[in-house]
Amino acid sequence: MSSRPIYLDSQATTPVDPRVLEAMIPYFSEHFGNPSSINHLYGWETEAAVKNARQGIATAINSTPQEVIFTSGATEANNLAIKGVVEAYFSQGKHIITLATEHNAVLDPCRYLESLGFTVTVLPVEPDGLVDLEKLKSALSPETILVSIMAANNEIGVLQPLKAIGEICRANQVLFHTDAAQALGKIPLDVEEMNIDLMSLTAHKIYGPKGIGALYIRRRNPRVRLMPQMQGGGQEKGLRPGTLNTPQIVGFAKAVELALEEQSRENERQEILRNRLWQALSSQLEGICLNGHPRKRLANNLNISIEGIDGSALLLGLQSKIALSSGSACSSTKQEPSHVLKALGHSDALAYASLRFGLGRFNTAQEIEQTYRIVVETVLSLRQASVKV
Ligand SMILES: *Cc1c(COP(=O)(O)O)cnc(C)c1O
């Protein structure tokens, strides 16, 4: 049998949609000009393509194109936002607030700043993965300059209350950054309605290419100041110098356009499949629990923990048939229990024995049916084997 495992790891990455690839191709060799070349057609045509893409992304989040800076992805956008704000505002305060379940691309820059003498409050989450707004309010101090809380969690899919967080930050004149890598194209994002001051985006979670993303930086009410983290040719208002990657930028914008077009239909379809998967697993297996809030979560995410089973044996048993991960793609290589599941109060053993199913645009009902059969079969046989010894 040469068939490849069923791909259910869409929180790690997604394939480039053929329509996205098609939009990108002319910009590799035909329209190859440097968008900063202002003296000839080659530059003008790519400059126009970048302008168009920037407008599309701005429209998707209800910002202006001037507020969108292209980066290599969400990791870079998070670093630029957090370090850039802290460097620009440190004379006003040295305290930042974040959340225990953030991606390492937020937690690690915060830890780095802590090593430089800044104070970082890492708020805990409730057992359902949500932030407690009262705890956020009481963590604020006159020293606080930034709150960084993600839109949608990459492991458990939980959606944080962005609008309420934005209101609290605005009322206290503290900047609000959100890592929206998992949220873009899946839930409505509106920087005005949600009082978001900085927002990190990436293309490869929504069927765009890897290595391209953006940072939204508010320009009015208030105008956010940011120190660049690189110096160079002055592109992107000097905030992110380097020749613009036109094919990737065009692909990113196309991916956003398609995701918005298909958002409600795909959310509905994937939610039905996701719920069917959960129903089947929870009715056929004892001792499994759902991680994260049952409804305030991404439509394509299911994260479960399975009692009385060795997590690595489970993944090993599944990997030839289903491609998924335990925890996040990044933390699962480290062989440490997921910090997100630990933040929900799980023991190491239960955190290890967890599966993250990330459904996507190209998954079929038949694949989901195969998936629950395979998971049930594997769990039952592992449990039987452990009874024998
Ligand atoms: C994938 C992801 C990132 C990293 O994005 P890159 O574009 O791969 O750098 C950051 N935060 C979250 C929540 C993610 O899901």
Side-chain angles (χ1 to χ4, degrees):
M1 226 182 68
S2 66
S3 74
R4 285 151 60 79
I6 298 169
Y7 190 77
L8 281 175
D9 207 7
S10 292
Q11 260 85 50
T13 195
T14 54
V16 170
D17 188 295
R19 294 165 291 181
V20 170
L21 182 61
E22 193 188 356
M24 292 170 68
I25 284 173
Y27 292 92
F28 283 102
S29 46
E30 188 183 348
H31 305 305
F32 65 89
N34 186 328
S36 304
S37 298
I38 55 171
N39 296 313
H40 51 71
L41 175 76
Y42 296 85
W44 302 332
E45 59 192 15
T46 50
E47 197 235 3
V50 169
K51 187 175 174 206
N52 197 26
R54 201 187 301 276
Q55 178 66 62
I57 291 159
T59 304
I61 60 170
N62 192 26
S63 78
T64 64
Q66 293 78 22
E67 296 173 306
V68 174
I69 296 294
F70 289 110
T71 66
S72 64
T75 300
E76 187 190 339
N78 286 339
N79 274 270
L80 177 57
I82 295 168
K83 295 179 196 164
V85 159
V86 161
E87 267 187 53
Y89 290 84
F90 72 93
S91 61
Q92 292 176 32
K94 294 197 166 54
H95 179 228
I96 56 184
I97 298 175
T98 187
L99 198 61
T101 52
E102 291 294 312
H103 193 279
N104 280 325
V106 165
L107 291 176
D108 279 354
C110 288
R111 287 185 194 117
Y112 167 74
L113 291 167
E114 207 167 24
S115 78
L116 298 183
F118 291 86
T119 313
V120 180
T121 299
V122 181
L123 293 172
V125 293
E126 299 307 291
D128 61 9
L130 285 158
V131 64
D132 179 340
L133 295 173
E134 293 310 314
K135 287 184 184 151
L136 169 61
K137 280 185 206 160
S138 45
L140 290 164
S141 86
E143 276 279 306
T144 313
I145 50 177
L146 179 70
V147 168
S148 180
I149 294 182
M150 70 200 324
N153 187 271
N154 48 299
E155 292 189 36
I156 54 177
V158 164
L159 305 174
Q160 299 295 345
L162 296 185
K163 189 165 181 226
I165 297 167
E167 268 166 25
I168 293 169
C169 292
R170 187 57 52 91
N172 289 277
Q173 295 187 315
V174 170
L175 295 176
F176 174 31
H177 165 251
T178 188
D179 175 350
Q182 294 287 344
L184 178 66
K186 309 226 177 70
I187 59 165
L189 291 171
D190 183 326
V191 294
E192 290 307 320
E193 191 199 302
M194 297 169 165
N195 284 321
I196 294 166
D197 298 311
L198 299 124
M199 179 159 64
S200 303
L201 306 172
T202 191
H204 75 97
K205 307 284 169 70
I206 50 164
Y207 315 91
K210 295 166 187 54
I212 186 74
L215 180 64
Y216 157 77
I217 309 164
R218 177 175 290 282
R219 270 165 72 93
R220 288 156 67 100
N221 309 317
R223 182 188 182 93
V224 175
R225 289 178 288 122
L226 214 58
M227 288 299 282
Q229 301 300 303
M230 287 198 283
Q231 284 71 38
Q235 292 91 344
E236 301 298 85
K237 304 192 178 68
L239 287 169
R240 208 292 188 168
T243 304
L244 287 165
N245 191 341
T246 320
Q248 302 285 89
I249 290 169
V250 167
F252 182 16
K254 185 67 185 178
V256 168
E257 179 196 319
L258 294 173
L260 292 190
E261 241 172 64
E262 300 183 358
Q263 184 170 286
S264 60
R265 182 158 38 98
E266 272 303 303
N267 275 352
E268 202 179 313
R269 190 185 74 88
Q270 292 178 29
E271 191 169 359
I272 290 171
L273 295 181
R274 191 269 315 272
N275 292 350
R276 198 179 293 165
L277 181 58
W278 169 242
Q279 296 287 314
L281 293 174
S282 57
S283 64
Q284 290 174 46
L285 290 173
E286 274 168 36
I288 81 168
C289 69
L290 177 67
N291 293 316
H293 194 284
R295 290 176 314 281
K296 293 176 183 169
R297 66 190 301 136
L298 292 170
N300 70 338
N301 172 280
L302 178 69
N303 190 310
I304 60 169
S305 290
I306 307 173
E307 284 166 23
I309 201 161
D310 172 31
S312 53
L314 177 61
L315 277 181
L316 209 64
L318 293 175
Q319 71 187 7
S320 67
K321 298 168 205 125
I322 313 171
L324 41 64
S325 44
S326 161
S328 74
C330 337
S331 60
S332 50
T333 56
K334 274 192 259 163
Q335 295 300 319
E336 278 166 19
S338 145
H339 70 277
V340 174
L341 299 178
K342 295 276 286 177
L344 300 183
H346 285 351
S347 65
D348 281 10
L350 197 57
Y352 275 126
S354 300
L355 296 175
R356 175 184 71 178
F357 300 89
L359 283 71
R361 186 179 284 170
F362 303 110
N363 286 124
T364 62
Q366 196 198 348
E367 285 179 324
I368 298 306
E369 199 164 309
Q370 279 174 293
T371 296
Y372 64 70
R373 287 185 206 287
I374 294 165
V375 174
V376 168
E377 203 176 83
T378 310
V379 170
L380 291 181
S381 76
L382 283 172
R383 278 183 179 162
Q384 226 163 25
S386 68
V387 168
K388 276 185 209 135
V389 278

